[in-house]
Amino acid sequence: MEAMKSARKNDTEDVGSDLSEQIKAATKDSHVRAENTTLMLDYQKGKITLPQYKLLLCSLYEIYRALEEELDRNASHPAVAPIYFPQELARLQTLEKDLEHFFGSEWRQRVIVPAATVRYQERIRRIGAESPDLLVAHAYTRYLGDLSGGQVLGKITQRSLGLSSKDGLSFFSFPGLSSPHRFKQLFRSRINSIELTEGRREEMLREANTSFLLNIQVFDDLQKMLSVTTTEAEDQSEGDAVKSKNMFPSLPSMQFTVAVCVALTTVGLGFYAL
């Protein structure tokens, strides 16, 4: 274990003293793992479906609601202030707009997320209350990802879902930025300007990896959740066909519903202790 920690430390030292470069180096493996989850691989291949996209939007909404509320609350913190760009980066309103497009005006009542998403937003809330400087790690992971691969995913989403307009794709748009590339450079330079002790810098690198791990768990849970709901839909379809022959089909249906609840609970509890 100590050898692994030493090797990881040497890796970050090799890239220099810039915090943003150290985070990038320290999270390289985690980044690759996140990109290779089943959900993201399907996404990159253009196999994203409307149910998948809706579920993803729901989780992103809860994650960004926690992140941006905590950033707002800690905006004057010495570590948060340099990377606080609500006008340029805020995603919450764009997600609300997309959710309303797909679910209607009562969309808040229809938001459903797996337990991994709950763990993610609880982690952000706890960090915001106890260690606000570590919010930088989560902002780095989310916003830089949105400004990079997120732009490509927006085009893939429109093509895969056959959307004729940008309605439902607001999340991928950053109207407050004339050049996402230049802004990423600014964002990294602001991260590099944050003054941290060596100990807090190590904490920041660990938290950045935790952020990637939480994203991976969300992607995996969403994929499992979608599998369960697909099975439920197939079961319901079969049940409808049987109803004309059997006026009391409720017992198998009840057993399946219980199985679905158990499955979702199991999915959610898998990695609860972080």
Side-chain angles (χ1 to χ4, degrees):
M1 181 64 72
E2 289 301 321
M4 291 177 61
K5 289 182 179 179
S6 177
R8 190 159 55 240
K9 183 175 180 181
N10 288 336
D11 287 342
T12 58
E13 287 176 348
D14 289 343
V15 300
S17 60
D18 286 351
L19 179 58
S20 66
E21 289 301 313
Q22 290 184 351
I23 293 176
K24 182 178 180 180
T27 59
K28 181 178 179 180
D29 291 342
S30 298
H31 193 170
V32 171
R33 285 181 57 202
E35 290 180 333
N36 283 279
T37 58
T38 301
L39 182 63
M40 285 296 101
L41 286 175
D42 284 348
Y43 216 130
Q44 293 166 36
K45 294 175 183 177
K47 296 181 179 180
I48 186 70
T49 65
L50 186 56
Q52 282 177 318
Y53 184 54
K54 287 181 178 179
L55 284 175
L56 180 59
L57 286 176
C58 288
S59 282
L60 288 173
Y61 168 73
E62 293 296 346
I63 292 166
Y64 275 103
R65 184 158 69 103
L67 178 59
E68 294 182 355
E69 287 178 358
E70 291 305 318
L71 288 173
D72 289 345
R73 194 165 65 85
N74 292 282
S76 62
H77 188 280
V80 175
I83 55 93
Y84 184 63
F85 291 96
Q87 296 300 317
E88 294 83 357
L89 294 177
R91 299 290 83 203
L92 194 56
Q93 289 187 355
T94 65
L95 286 163
E96 291 174 349
K97 184 177 180 180
D98 289 341
L99 287 167
E100 183 172 1
H101 172 75
F102 288 113
F103 291 111
S105 59
E106 303 298 320
W107 63 268
R108 284 183 174 83
Q109 300 174 19
R110 302 183 63 183
V111 169
I112 181 171
V113 298
T117 301
V118 176
R119 291 196 301 274
Y120 195 166
Q121 61 93 11
E122 286 178 345
R123 177 75 175 193
I124 292 172
R125 299 286 189 193
R126 187 164 65 251
I127 290 300
E130 301 174 0
S131 304
D133 56 330
L134 298 184
L135 288 171
V136 173
H138 293 273
Y140 171 96
T141 302
R142 290 282 1 146
Y143 290 126
L144 288 187
D146 297 337
L147 289 169
S148 300
Q151 301 301 290
V152 176
L153 292 181
K155 296 177 182 178
I156 292 175
T157 302
Q158 184 174 17
R159 184 171 62 251
S160 299
L161 301 184
L163 302 177
S164 58
S165 69
K166 297 291 185 180
D167 293 339
L169 300 171
S170 298
F171 172 72
F172 301 106
S173 176
F174 290 83
L177 299 179
S178 59
S179 171
H181 176 69
R182 285 200 297 270
F183 188 84
K184 284 190 296 182
Q185 292 178 323
L186 171 64
F187 196 80
R188 290 191 181 98
S189 70
R190 290 294 188 90
I191 289 178
N192 295 338
S193 73
I194 298 171
E195 296 184 2
L196 297 172
T197 65
E198 185 63 28
R200 292 310 289 173
R201 184 170 290 236
E202 288 297 317
E203 283 291 323
M204 185 75 74
L205 301 184
R206 282 193 290 270
E207 191 63 28
N209 269 304
T210 296
S211 180
F212 271 105
L213 174 61
L214 290 167
N215 276 285
I216 290 168
Q217 292 174 6
V218 169
F219 295 155
D220 287 344
D221 268 20
L222 286 175
Q223 189 65 33
K224 293 173 185 177
M225 189 176 179
L226 187 67
S227 298
V228 169
T229 55
T230 300
T231 303
E232 183 180 26
E234 292 173 351
D235 184 81
Q236 182 63 46
S237 178
E238 293 176 2
D240 290 342
V242 171
K243 281 181 180 179
S244 62
K245 298 181 181 180
N246 183 359
M247 61 183 296
F248 298 106
S250 59
L251 183 57
S253 180
M254 287 176 62
Q255 291 173 337
F256 179 79
T257 301
V258 171
V260 169
C261 293
V262 172
L264 287 174
T265 302
T266 302
V267 166
L269 293 177
F271 294 93
Y272 194 84
L274 292 175

